[in-house]
């Protein structure tokens, strides 16, 4: 003050050297460009209350939405781990059960088909619509027949097999991968004949391959490696589970 009284003692008077005091002030000044004002903090608090409520009362729906929001990113692995810690099962993908995103079910959270690599949203939407209109896919040949006309490529089919999305169709992944080329060749031949009008008696297609030869399944380690390749996650088992 003008009369020499110290109204607010500074850093040096309080025993802090000038260099340290300047460094602290500079850090405060930098943070001030994004410091939370009251309105900002209130908005975050409201969001925190709402998400806490959803997680408590609708845990499967809440976590399914969270995982879906980060599909394709490492954060998805973290959220799936949180689900397991919460006692929520993350079920593998299934062409007769899954939707595009992760969805809550009575048993847990069903893996979303959009999280599988080499598959586009348009093709997947067609696969889902086909099963909803004409019923569940019965077996591997039935799936190939009904989905091939919707421009599902060989590479995409291979990804579906390796991810485990076709496990519920009654064949092992080894069987499906081994028969893939033969089944697709037959399906394509049938479609060509249909386009050319070369149908059998009463307009029916000629009989062909309806089932595929059974082969023993791959070891769990190989199944897990396939899942990691196509989804970025270990679904059947984690390599470190034994330890």
């Amino acid at each position: 003050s003008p009369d020499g009284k110290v109204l607010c003692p500074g850093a040096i008077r309080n025993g802090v050297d000038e260099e340290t005091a300047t460094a602290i002030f500079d850090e405060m000044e930098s943070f001030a460009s994004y410091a939370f004002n009251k309105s900002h903090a209130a908005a975050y608090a409201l969001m925190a209350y709402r998400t806490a409520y959803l997680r408590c009362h609708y845990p499967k729906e809440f976590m399914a939405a969270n995982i879906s929001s980060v599909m394709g990113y490492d954060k998805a692995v973290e959220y799936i781990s949180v689900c397991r810690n919460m006692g929520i099962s993350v079920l593998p993908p299934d062409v007769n059960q899954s939707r595009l995103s992760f969805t809550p079910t009575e048993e847990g959270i069903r893996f979303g088909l959009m999280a599988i690599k080499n598959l586009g949203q348009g093709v997947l939407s067609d696969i889902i619509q086909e099963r909803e209109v004409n019923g569940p896919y019965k077996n591997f040949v039935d799936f190939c027949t009904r989905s091939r006309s919707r421009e599902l490529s060989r590479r995409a089919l291979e990804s579906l097999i390796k991810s485990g999305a076709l496990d519920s169709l009654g064949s092992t992944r080894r069987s499906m991968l081994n028969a893939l080329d033969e089944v697709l060749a037959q399906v394509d031949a049938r479609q060509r004949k249909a386009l050319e009008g070369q149908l059998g008696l009463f307009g029916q297609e000629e009989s062909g391959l309806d089932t595929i030869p059974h082969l023993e399944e791959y070891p769990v380690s190989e199944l897990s490696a396939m899942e990691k390749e196509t989804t970025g996650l270990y679904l059947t088992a984690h390599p470190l589970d034994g330890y």
Side-chain angles (χ1 to χ4, degrees), residues 11 23 29 54 59 79 108 110 114-115 121 127 134 136 144 146 159 182-183 189-190 193 203 205-206 208 214:
E29 185 179 32
L54 291 172
Y79 283 154
R110 178 64 67 177
M114 275 296 292
Q121 182 171 340
I127 289 173
N134 297 312
C144 291
R146 292 163 62 183
S159 289
E182 182 181 355
V183 172
R190 283 180 176 178
K193 287 181 180 180
E205 298 177 15
E206 296 178 5
H214 172 75

Side-chain angles (χ1 to χ4, degrees), residues 4-61:
K5 292 183 179 179
V6 178
L7 300 179
C8 181
I12 294 176
R13 190 179 293 275
N14 283 320
V16 180
D17 63 272
E18 182 176 352
E19 183 179 357
T20 301
T22 301
I24 292 173
F25 183 84
D26 288 346
E27 190 168 337
M28 291 169 58
E29 185 179 32
S30 174
F31 175 71
S33 64
Y34 192 64
F36 284 5
N37 55 36
K38 188 178 292 186
S39 61
H40 197 160
Y44 265 91
L46 179 61
M47 185 183 297
Y49 277 119
R50 286 177 173 172
T51 52
Y53 178 89
L54 291 172
R55 175 167 173 165
C56 177
H57 296 284
Y58 302 94
K60 288 188 289 188
E61 291 80 358

Side-chain angles (χ1 to χ4, degrees), residues 119-141:
L119 291 161
Q121 182 171 340
V123 170
L124 291 174
S125 295
D126 286 344
I127 289 173
I128 294 170
Q129 183 181 24
E130 166 64 23
R131 82 171 185 231
E132 290 179 345
V133 173
N134 297 312
Y137 298 104
K138 299 180 179 112
N139 53 51
F140 181 60
V141 177

Side-chain angles (χ1 to χ4, degrees), residues 8-170:
C8 181
I12 294 176
R13 190 179 293 275
N14 283 320
V16 180
D17 63 272
E18 182 176 352
E19 183 179 357
T20 301
T22 301
I24 292 173
F25 183 84
D26 288 346
E27 190 168 337
M28 291 169 58
E29 185 179 32
S30 174
F31 175 71
S33 64
Y34 192 64
F36 284 5
N37 55 36
K38 188 178 292 186
S39 61
H40 197 160
Y44 265 91
L46 179 61
M47 185 183 297
Y49 277 119
R50 286 177 173 172
T51 52
Y53 178 89
L54 291 172
R55 175 167 173 165
C56 177
H57 296 284
Y58 302 94
K60 288 188 289 188
E61 291 80 358
F62 177 70
M63 292 308 300
N66 269 327
I67 301 171
S68 296
S69 71
V70 293
M71 281 195 297
Y73 297 94
D74 292 340
K75 194 74 175 176
V77 179
E78 181 181 333
Y79 283 154
I80 288 174
S81 178
V82 170
C83 286
R84 288 169 178 160
N85 290 337
M86 293 170 65
I88 299 173
S89 298
V90 177
L91 309 169
D94 187 331
V95 289
N96 278 330
Q97 298 290 332
S98 294
R99 303 200 66 80
L100 292 178
S101 59
F102 287 72
T103 50
T105 67
E106 289 186 9
E107 298 82 12
I109 295 175
R110 178 64 67 177
F111 204 92
L113 294 177
M114 275 296 292
I116 303 174
K117 298 176 182 177
N118 304 320
L119 291 161
Q121 182 171 340
V123 170
L124 291 174
S125 295
D126 286 344
I127 289 173
I128 294 170
Q129 183 181 24
E130 166 64 23
R131 82 171 185 231
E132 290 179 345
V133 173
N134 297 312
Y137 298 104
K138 299 180 179 112
N139 53 51
F140 181 60
V141 177
D142 180 53
F143 177 78
C144 291
T145 301
R146 292 163 62 183
S147 62
R148 186 67 165 172
S149 60
R150 299 174 184 272
E151 300 182 355
L152 187 65
S153 68
R154 184 194 188 285
R155 187 183 184 196
L157 267 167
E158 195 173 82
S159 289
L160 283 170
I161 295 170
K162 289 184 175 182
S163 70
L166 304 185
D167 284 1
S168 64
L169 300 183

Side-chain angles (χ1 to χ4, degrees), residues 130-231:
E130 166 64 23
R131 82 171 185 231
E132 290 179 345
V133 173
N134 297 312
Y137 298 104
K138 299 180 179 112
N139 53 51
F140 181 60
V141 177
D142 180 53
F143 177 78
C144 291
T145 301
R146 292 163 62 183
S147 62
R148 186 67 165 172
S149 60
R150 299 174 184 272
E151 300 182 355
L152 187 65
S153 68
R154 184 194 188 285
R155 187 183 184 196
L157 267 167
E158 195 173 82
S159 289
L160 283 170
I161 295 170
K162 289 184 175 182
S163 70
L166 304 185
D167 284 1
S168 64
L169 300 183
S171 297
T172 64
R173 293 183 208 178
R174 188 194 293 271
S175 300
M176 290 185 281
L177 287 173
N178 185 71
L180 181 56
D181 289 330
E182 182 181 355
V183 172
L184 291 184
Q186 176 189 277
V187 170
D188 290 344
R190 283 180 176 178
Q191 290 178 359
R192 282 195 300 273
K193 287 181 180 180
L195 289 173
E196 296 167 359
Q198 298 178 14
L199 297 177
L201 191 61
F202 305 117
Q204 298 297 315
E205 298 177 15
E206 296 178 5
S207 61
L209 181 67
D210 291 319
T211 59
I212 59 176
H214 172 75
L215 297 175
E216 290 299 318
E217 187 57 283
Y218 294 108
V220 172
S221 59
E222 289 190 46
L223 296 179
S224 297
M226 289 179 180
E227 293 159 0
K228 179 68 173 175
E229 175 192 342
T230 53
T231 70

